[in-house]
């Protein structure tokens, strides 16, 4: 089946891209594996007009609005191959089904690789967090922790100290040098060098961070900086260029969200080093508009 635009990834960036391509009266296919990155969080914060709503509610409503456009089709499933084919692209699903399009938008997001500490994964999106703008307000004003993934975590601790009294758990990874010790002191951040052995719910909405030597510290929430990996191999398969950031890679895009491969656009977390829903929706809108205009002028 042939489309004008295929959007792989039907979450914040992908639905936004598809909406603009659809409003350009184009035939659009969205393929979505249904695993948005923030599915671990009960509430989403900071997104214009949607503060505090469940991520799944926002997405369901957006998908419903998109499906009101008759030239749009949404498929639940995973695309596992994409390649240039003639003047366009071919996308193949993991069940072998194939689709063609003149333009391709990758809105496939990233996956978080958390530090290997027992109990951390269970609390991800609840009391183990990464983004203070998303969830800091709700846990602010008390003891907060930052679980280090390396010396760069010092900057995360400095930032988070605007939301509460921070302990930086170095997890045995580093000792601060003189400059770093001064930076910690300036922001009243406690430094805990010991290895973190486990995190556990404390029974009253917070966490106990267990430390080597049978010690523990209570925090309302523990921030950390997971490594980000591409949630899909499609950009690599197509030969898209990547930027390397401190936490992972992002697909290189220009100011129209076009990748290094002509006709392939990318948006959302997969194509940015700084992530949130507003940025994803904005990138998606640009990708949808640019893909449409390239069909007119290209
Ligand atoms: C725990 C947590 C809480 C967060 N809370 C907030 C918050 O409160 N506010 C905020 O603004 N941001 C928040 N974020 C960030 C936010 O989740 C992301 O910025 C946003 O989801 C990015 O949207 P996206 O469309 O780029 O990617 P995603 O939302 O991750 O969506 C990518 C979609 O593509 C699909 N996909 C991937 N590969 C394929 C494939 N090969 N075939 C088909 N489909 C595929 C996935 O299944 C998924 O549905 C949070 C993140 C986390 C981890």
């Amino acid at each position: 089946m042939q489309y004008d635009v295929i959007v792989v990834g039907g979450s914040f960036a992908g639905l936004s891209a598809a909406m603009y391509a659809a409003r350009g009266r184009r035939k659009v296919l969205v393929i979505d594996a249904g695993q948005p990155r923030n599915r671990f969080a009960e509430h989403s914060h900071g997104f214009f007009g949607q503060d505090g709503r469940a991520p799944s509610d926002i997405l369901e409503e957006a998908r419903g609005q998109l499906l009101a456009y008759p030239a749009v089709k949404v498929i639940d499933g995973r695309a596992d191959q994409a390649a240039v084919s003639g003047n366009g692209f071919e996308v193949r699903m993991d069940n072998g089904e194939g689709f063609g399009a003149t333009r391709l938008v990758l809105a496939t997001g990233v996956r978080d690789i958390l530090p290997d500490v027992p109990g951390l994964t269970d609390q991800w999106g609840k009391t183990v967090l990464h983004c203070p703008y998303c969830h800091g307000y709700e846990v602010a004003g008390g003891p907060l922790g930052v679980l280090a993934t390396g010396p760069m975590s010092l900057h995360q601790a400095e930032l988070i100290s605007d939301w509460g009294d921070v302990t930086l758990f170095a997890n045995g990874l580093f000792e601060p040098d003189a400059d770093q010790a001064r930076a910690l002191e300036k922001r009243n951040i406690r430094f805990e060098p010991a290895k973190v052995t486990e995190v556990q719910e404390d029974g009253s909405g917070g966490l106990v961070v267990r430390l080597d030597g049978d010690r523990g510290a209570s925090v309302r929430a523990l921030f950390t900086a997971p490594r980000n990996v591409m949630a899909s191999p499609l950009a690599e398969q197509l030969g898209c260029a990547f930027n390397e950031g401190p936490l992972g890679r992002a697909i290189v895009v220009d100011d129209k969200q076009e990748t290094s491969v002509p006709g392939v656009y990318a948006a959302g977390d997969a194509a940015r080093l700084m992530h949130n829903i507003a940025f994803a929706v904005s990138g998606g809108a640009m990708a949808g508009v640019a893909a449409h205009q390239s069909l007119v002028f290209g």
Side-chain angles (χ1 to χ4, degrees), residues 71-117:
V72 173
K73 184 166 181 196
V74 179
I75 293 181
D76 292 315
R78 183 167 293 276
D80 68 0
Q81 280 175 50
V84 174
S85 165
N87 288 333
F89 304 93
E90 197 194 5
V91 175
R92 198 152 284 283
M93 305 289 290
D94 57 4
N95 64 7
E97 203 175 356
F99 303 99
T102 318
R103 297 289 181 267
L104 185 58
V105 179
L106 301 177
T108 42
V110 298
R111 231 163 20 84
D112 292 292
I113 311 287
L114 287 164
D116 185 16
V117 171

Side-chain angles (χ1 to χ4, degrees), residues 8-14 31-38 41 43-45 77-79 107-109 112 124-125 130 134-135 231-232 267-269 275-277 280:
V8 186
S11 178
F12 301 99
I31 301 169
D32 185 39
Q35 299 213 295
R37 184 178 171 206
N38 60 351
H43 303 284
S44 156
H45 292 282
R78 183 167 293 276
T108 42
D112 292 292
W124 178 232
H130 74 304
C134 302
H135 303 288
S232 125
D269 288 4
H275 304 147
N276 72 31
I277 294 174

Side-chain angles (χ1 to χ4, degrees), residues 118-120 123 127 198-203 206-210 217 219:
L120 210 64
Q123 292 303 313
T127 50
E198 190 175 7
V199 299
Q200 296 169 326
E201 285 182 72
D202 69 359
L207 273 186
V208 179
V209 180
R210 296 248 165 251
V219 292

